Amino acid sequence: DTGVSQDPRHKITKRGQNVTFRCDPISEHNRLYWYRQTLGQGPEFLTYFQNEAQLEKSRLLSDRFSAERPKGSFSTLEIQRTEQGDSAMYLCASSLGNGDYNEQFFGPGTRLTVL
Amino acid sequence: AQSVAQPEDQVNVAEGNPLTVKCTYSVSGNPYLFWYVQYPNRGLQFLLKYITGDNLVKGSYGFEAEFNKSQTSFHLKKPSALVSDSALYFCAVSDYGGATNKLIFGTGTLLAVQP
């Protein structure tokens, strides 16, 4: 399978714990996005990488959130001191950077539940 | 700011009948519009996009969408619905004005196709 993969698919944690999610984009895609989706809502943009550079962060991304893409390939999203409001589906997407209008390809998501 | 609206939370249609899922948009400049489908516990799958050109865009799984500039709409259509089309459908617009081309999603429309 050469699509976008995410790990883990599900994560249950207690409030106050730290969690880290991983995303492996399609190999030739230099653009990588993180979105968050809550029940009954569409995905909301969190952050964007072009290669290894993080070029934009949403104001939704509080100081407890950090993302990296160290070698321009896979990416990680870490949430420190989780809160119940962080419970959501975290989606990763990637796209080619050779045009402005290329569609994004999404991974299956990581569902986070904070108890 | 770019935005899309999906006025219907749910659309019910009988198998074999035509279906329409509505989307209206608000953009400054040219609209770059997308439709995605989400099956339970899975990520989003790209269906089709409108960038420029013909107002009728054909996509995956027999879906098409009609771009209407005067009505600022981009409705998703299919001539004959299948039970397997039952899923959550999202309209999105690309925020091409920034560096990221991040997607801004509507709230989604649940399509239920009855056998």
Side-chain angles (χ1 to χ4, degrees):
Chain A
D1 191 329
T2 57
V4 179
S5 60
Q6 292 186 245
D7 184 69
R9 295 289 304 275
H10 303 275
K11 179 70 177 178
I12 300 173
T13 191
K14 294 182 179 179
R15 188 177 54 186
Q17 298 294 304
N18 299 343
V19 295
T20 299
F21 310 142
R22 177 179 170 123
C23 169
D24 287 89
I26 294 171
S27 59
E28 62 268 28
H29 287 183
N30 62 337
R31 293 183 174 185
L32 187 146
Y33 305 80
W34 285 98
Y35 293 84
R36 181 171 66 187
Q37 185 179 19
T38 54
L39 198 62
Q41 298 296 319
E44 295 176 293
F45 169 77
L46 291 179
T47 191
Y48 163 71
F49 289 86
Q50 184 165 315
N51 300 309
E52 66 275 10
Q54 187 176 20
L55 297 185
E56 185 172 343
K57 294 193 294 185
S58 163
R59 54 188 170 83
L60 291 176
L61 216 64
S62 75
D63 291 344
R64 297 183 297 105
F65 287 70
S66 61
E68 295 182 339
R69 193 182 183 196
K71 297 183 179 180
S73 56
F74 73 92
S75 175
T76 58
L77 177 68
E78 181 183 15
I79 309 174
Q80 296 183 328
R81 305 181 303 281
T82 52
E83 301 173 355
Q84 289 184 328
D86 297 331
S87 295
M89 175 78 87
Y90 290 84
L91 297 167
C92 176
S94 68
S95 72
L96 282 171
N98 62 352
D100 290 335
Y101 323 120
N102 290 321
E103 58 271 24
Q104 296 176 24
F105 293 86
F106 283 79
T110 295
R111 182 169 296 282
L112 173 66
T113 302
V114 182
L115 302 176
Chain B
Q2 328 283 38
S3 66
V4 292
Q6 295 181 245
E8 301 157 317
D9 290 336
Q10 183 163 339
V11 170
N12 299 305
V13 64
E15 187 174 30
N17 283 359
L19 69 88
T20 299
V21 182
K22 296 179 180 178
C23 173
T24 58
Y25 65 88
S26 175
V27 302
S28 52
N30 294 323
Y32 302 109
L33 299 159
F34 300 78
W35 276 101
Y36 283 82
V37 60
Q38 187 174 35
Y39 296 98
N41 300 314
R42 295 179 64 178
L44 282 76
Q45 295 180 30
F46 169 75
L47 284 178
L48 50 80
K49 66 182 177 184
Y50 173 83
I51 304 300
T52 187
D54 290 342
N55 290 340
L56 187 64
V57 179
K58 294 189 181 298
S60 306
Y61 313 119
F63 284 93
E64 57 191 24
E66 186 173 9
F67 172 73
N68 188 317
K69 188 173 183 178
S70 62
Q71 297 185 5
T72 61
S73 67
F74 188 54
H75 300 332
L76 182 69
K77 300 182 179 184
K78 188 174 183 181
S80 178
L82 300 172
V83 172
S84 58
D85 292 330
S86 299
L88 190 56
Y89 290 81
F90 289 97
C91 181
V93 62
S94 175
D95 185 28
Y96 68 92
T100 70
N101 298 314
K102 61 181 179 282
L103 293 175
I104 299 165
F105 287 88
T107 51
T109 298
L110 184 63
L111 174 65
V113 182
Q114 285 89 34

